[in-house]
Amino acid sequence: MAILRTPAWSGFRWPSFGELDRMRNDMEKLFGGLSRGIFREPSAGVFPLLNLTENSNTYFVRAELPGVKPDELDISVTGDGLSISGERKIPTAEKGAKYHRKEREAGTFSRILSLPGPIDGGKVEATCKDGILTVVLPKAEAAKPKQVSVKTG
């Protein structure tokens, strides 16, 4: 009597290409999910990005606002604060578009910035050119540096 042993994998059938694609997609989701947790993808974060500089008489705030119309901005000042708010509108992709990356965000935004010192709110000016908002904030007289002369005895 002869006993024939067949390997355990003899019933194994190679998966179809569709099955291989499904497995590949599952692996990409798994490893993509892990890498997103470790290597964070960039996000829009704080909007708008801005720089605050000063000279002896004035603070300057320059904010990146591409695609935002100047008449859709609301800018207000207090004693030592600046508020910039508005809405960023981005045209939507055509119906059924599949995004591979979506980093641009739309919606309302608001930035409130504390300045290093008090300002003269009546003299604040703002301009917007090429997507850069520049706000010129003259320092209050009390905040400006004073030249002190030294008296001789």
Side-chain angles (χ1 to χ4, degrees):
M1 171 179 203
I3 298 175
L4 295 175
R5 298 188 74 178
T6 58
W9 52 270
S10 67
F12 178 79
R13 293 181 46 183
W14 287 99
S16 66
F17 287 112
E19 182 64 15
L20 287 173
D21 280 342
R22 188 193 61 76
M23 291 170 49
R24 182 180 54 81
N25 288 337
D26 288 347
M27 295 300 282
E28 285 177 357
K29 286 179 186 174
L30 174 66
F31 290 112
L34 290 174
S35 68
R36 277 191 294 275
I38 297 168
F39 309 106
R40 295 187 184 273
E41 292 183 359
S43 63
V46 177
F47 184 85
L49 297 175
L50 57 84
N51 288 344
L52 169 63
T53 59
E54 71 174 300
N55 63 23
S56 59
N57 296 319
T58 309
Y59 297 110
F60 301 92
V61 173
R62 292 175 181 89
E64 294 180 3
L65 290 164
V68 178
K69 296 177 182 172
D71 59 344
E72 295 175 348
L73 290 171
D74 181 23
I75 302 169
S76 59
V77 294
T78 59
D80 62 350
L82 169 68
S83 172
I84 303 170
S85 58
E87 182 174 2
R88 183 178 184 189
K89 299 174 184 170
I90 296 176
T92 57
E94 65 274 1
K95 188 175 181 179
K98 179 182 176 184
Y99 281 94
H100 292 279
R101 182 170 290 267
K102 186 175 181 185
E103 297 176 355
R104 299 173 63 213
E105 294 182 12
T108 59
F109 61 87
S110 180
R111 288 287 309 264
I112 298 173
L113 182 67
S114 292
L115 301 167
I119 59 170
D120 185 349
K123 296 179 180 177
V124 175
E125 295 180 1
T127 57
C128 192
K129 182 179 179 187
D130 298 331
I132 304 294
L133 171 70
T134 301
V135 184
V136 179
L137 306 132
K139 293 179 181 178
E141 288 299 321
K144 291 181 182 177
K146 303 286 189 270
Q147 185 70 35
V148 177
S149 59
V150 178
K151 298 177 183 173
T152 57

